[in-house]
Every structure is written in C-alpha cells, then in structure tokens.
Amino acid sequence: MYNVKAYSAASAASPLASATIPRRDPTESDVQIEILFCGICHSDVHQVRNEWSSVMPTVYPIVPGHEIVGRVTQVGSAVTKYQPGDLAAVGCLVDSDRTCPQCQAGFEQFCPNLTLTFNGMDKHLGGVTYGGYSASIVVDERFVLRVPANLDLAGVAPLLCAGITTYSPMRHWGVTQGQKVGVVGLGGLGHMGVKFAHALGAQVVVFTTSPGKKEDALRLGADAVVVSRNPDEMQKHTGSFDFILDTISADHDINAYINLLRRDGNITLVGAPSKPLHVSAFSLIMGRRSLSGSNIGGIAETQEMLDFCGEHNLTADVEVIPIQKVNEAYERLLKSDVKYRFCIDMASLKSE
C-alpha cells in the first residue's frame, strides 16, 4: 500500500479539500496509472453532497472522479495489454463479478456486483473506492482502456462517462447514415450526442429551450435547431424521427417528443428527472414507438467508442481548471455555466 495526494470531502456540507489517501500496491493483474486529467461529472456533485442517499448513500470521506485519463507507470506480471508509458483511461467501473449473464454478454454496467470507481466497495483495502481526483489509481487490466494517441487528453476525459452514455444508445438502436436523429438538450451529454450522431452520418436536430444555443449547436454538427417552447416549430417535425436522445434531467413533457417519432422510432432517456414522467400510452401505441433508458456502456463498447473518437477526431468541449478551483466549478456546474464539461488538470495537485 502507498499514499497519494487527492481532493476529498469529509461530509455532505464540506467543500472538497486537499487530503492523502491509500492505494493498493499493484497485483499481478493490475495497472498503475498516473492521473493526468479527470473530468467533472454532475454525478460527482450528487454523490459528494449525498443527494442520492436513498439509492447509493455516500460514505465519507469521498474522493470523486470517474472520467480518468493518465499514463501507465507500473504493471503487474500477468498484464499483457499495457506497459509503462502507455496512455490509459478509466471510466465509471473498476470491477465486476465477471461471471453473471450481464458480464458474460459484455454489459458490465448492469452487473449486480459491479464496483464503482468511487464510493464502491473496495475488496482490496476495505472501505470504499476512491476516484480520480487524485495523483494515481490502480485498476485491474480488464477495466483499463486504451486512449487514441491523436486526441487531446483533456477532451478525452469526459468521454469516459458523457461520451459512452450518449454513444451506447445510438449504437444499440442502430443510428446510421441517412437517419433523422434528435438530441434534446445541449449540455454536457447533449453536445456529445450531437457530435456522435453527426459522425454516424445522421441528420441531426437539436431541441433546446434557449434560442441563443442555435449557433453552438450548428457548430457542433447539428443540421437544424428547434426551440422546443415553440409549438409551431415542434409541429413541423411530427412523426419524422428515427431516434431521439433525451438528455434532460429537469421535469419536461416527454410526450411532445414521443409524438415526433416515426413508426417504430425510439426515444432513449439518458437524463434522469427526479420526478416520474407522465407518458401517454396512445403516444406509444399509435406508432409502435418505444421509450427506453440507457446507462453508460460495457468495457468493450467503451473501448469501441474511444476508437471511434480517434478515427473521427472527436473529443468533448472542455474548460480545463486546476484542482484548487473544483468547488467553484461545482457551483458553476449547477448553474450550467460551462461549455460543456469541466476537466481538472491533475498536474495542479502537485502544488498541494
């Protein structure tokens, strides 16, 4: 075991502050990674402030961060895919039971015994796992990902959550060239949804409540922008979409978007409103439409996504900050004051 610098919160009301945490010595199957960049996800804020206490209560102290990019510094004797000096990444998962039907099918994200990158059960050291707001991390080789060398590393970090969260449902529902795809919301998730749909060859329409976002949506790859508060604009697209990705976490009228689907079209939720959505059965029945949800992706699919990004030169739009500004970034994130993700330059941790 060895100790590393990190930023942690001592309670739900505490700010993140400099700390020291333990890491396990690499076992024969482990990869040790010096963390270069770590993205800030909205779920970091929820868990630091224990806002998901009914589902996954936070254990303190907590070190968040599951959008990790770094460089391999040491590997175990049985590791075959990585060597010191390689670029590597870690997402939301650092282990699973590997034997359940979900794992066998490559869907580790649905494993009933998965280990989250932070605030999960640490079977090696006891207590809970600590995430990427730290100098280094040790992860089993099976849960480490390769990073395309041509991509900006700061922009890669959010791909480990926002990227795979939007890529996975598009792949599952077969988004391809010539289809009409809608993206509801243009935030951390939505901006990646636009980039992926455009790269897959779809005709992309962004739905937003903010007319001022039109120029940025077009820059990101949208072919058209609809102000969703305008019923006439919405009406023009009735029954025309093959697929819609809904990234909104606030309460909204889901039926307004279901009605935009063609026959057999699908709308997938990746945002998670706190209140149940009211769904009209007739909106689904009359066009054999479907409503579904999606949650990140398995390890193989996440690697596929990173490779796809390498081929198409795709990364997240990020604002890079030093770790000393992380509490300020949390407050700005809650105000949607970022385009479109924060990413921590972990070199700043060395000055602590």
Side-chain angles (χ1 to χ4, degrees):
M1 189 174 73
Y2 66 102
N3 293 324
V4 299
K5 291 181 177 181
Y7 255 52
S8 71
S11 72
S14 301
L16 288 153
S18 181
T20 300
I21 60 168
R23 292 295 191 192
R24 70 178 184 266
D25 293 319
T27 69
E28 64 177 12
S29 63
D30 281 337
V31 176
Q32 182 188 63
I33 301 168
E34 176 192 7
I35 300 175
L36 302 177
F37 293 95
C38 185
I40 295 178
C41 178
H42 211 130
S43 61
D44 296 352
V45 181
H46 288 307
Q47 291 208 258
V48 164
R49 300 182 177 181
N50 201 22
E51 292 171 351
W52 290 345
S53 57
S54 62
V55 181
M56 50 176 71
T58 301
V59 177
Y60 296 96
I62 181 174
V63 177
H66 58 206
E67 299 177 345
I68 300 166
V69 175
R71 194 173 298 278
V72 176
T73 52
Q74 185 179 340
V75 298
S77 59
V79 171
T80 60
K81 295 180 182 178
Y82 302 95
Q83 59 186 5
D86 287 349
L87 293 173
V90 178
C92 302
L93 310 176
V94 291
D95 210 348
S96 67
D97 64 26
R98 312 182 194 185
T99 58
C100 72
Q102 310 296 350
C103 289
Q104 292 296 307
F107 301 129
E108 295 92 346
Q109 74 272 30
F110 300 126
C111 174
N113 301 302
L114 59 80
T115 302
L116 295 172
T117 304
F118 69 90
N119 203 45
M121 289 181 59
D122 188 334
K123 68 180 183 183
H124 297 274
L125 298 180
V128 296
T129 52
Y130 294 134
Y133 296 12
S134 57
S136 74
I137 193 168
V138 178
V139 180
D140 188 282
E141 176 185 29
R142 297 189 196 187
F143 291 81
V144 177
L145 299 144
R146 297 182 306 276
V147 176
N150 61 305
L151 297 179
D152 172 70
L153 296 185
V156 168
L159 299 179
L160 279 304
C161 183
I164 187 58
T165 295
T166 50
Y167 180 86
S168 182
M170 290 191 189
R171 293 292 287 154
H172 177 75
W173 291 99
V175 170
T176 190
Q177 187 167 356
Q179 290 190 335
K180 187 175 180 182
V181 170
V183 177
V184 185
L186 193 66
L189 292 174
H191 95 286
M192 285 308 308
V194 173
K195 291 187 179 190
F196 283 133
H198 176 75
L200 288 165
Q203 176 189 353
V204 187
V205 179
V206 168
F207 294 91
T208 178
T209 58
S210 306
K213 289 189 175 181
K214 179 176 181 178
E215 184 177 340
D216 225 24
L218 297 174
R219 175 186 65 82
L220 292 165
D223 297 287
V225 180
V226 172
V227 177
S228 55
R229 290 196 176 107
N230 186 323
D232 292 333
E233 286 191 47
M234 294 288 284
Q235 180 66 29
K236 292 176 185 176
H237 293 273
T238 299
S240 65
F241 283 87
D242 297 280
F243 177 79
I244 296 175
L245 184 74
D246 186 341
T247 73
I248 302 299
S249 294
D251 186 34
H252 60 291
D253 180 11
I254 191 69
N255 300 292
Y257 297 101
I258 294 174
N259 289 330
L260 302 184
L261 295 170
R262 64 161 177 79
R263 173 181 53 81
D264 292 328
N266 169 266
I267 181 168
T268 293
L269 305 180
V270 291
S274 57
K275 297 179 180 179
L277 296 173
H278 174 75
V279 179
S280 166
F282 283 100
S283 296
L284 297 174
I285 290 170
M286 298 310 292
R288 200 164 60 189
R289 300 154 170 157
S290 62
L291 168 65
S292 61
S294 187
N295 173 31
I296 59 172
I299 299 302
E301 188 174 51
T302 304
Q303 186 62 63
E304 176 189 309
M305 178 272 303
L306 287 171
D307 294 341
F308 181 87
C309 288
E311 293 167 10
H312 295 270
N313 199 30
L314 296 179
T315 56
D317 284 23
V318 295
E319 179 180 335
V320 180
I321 62 166
I323 199 163
Q324 291 80 8
K325 291 190 175 181
V326 67
N327 293 299
E328 176 187 330
Y330 274 28
E331 296 305 317
R332 288 180 55 197
L333 181 61
L334 294 174
K335 299 173 184 176
S336 300
D337 180 23
V338 59
K339 287 187 176 180
Y340 280 93
R341 302 282 285 204
F342 285 113
C343 184
I344 305 168
D345 182 349
M346 296 308 300
S348 60
L349 187 60
K350 295 176 182 177
S351 63
E352 288 292 328

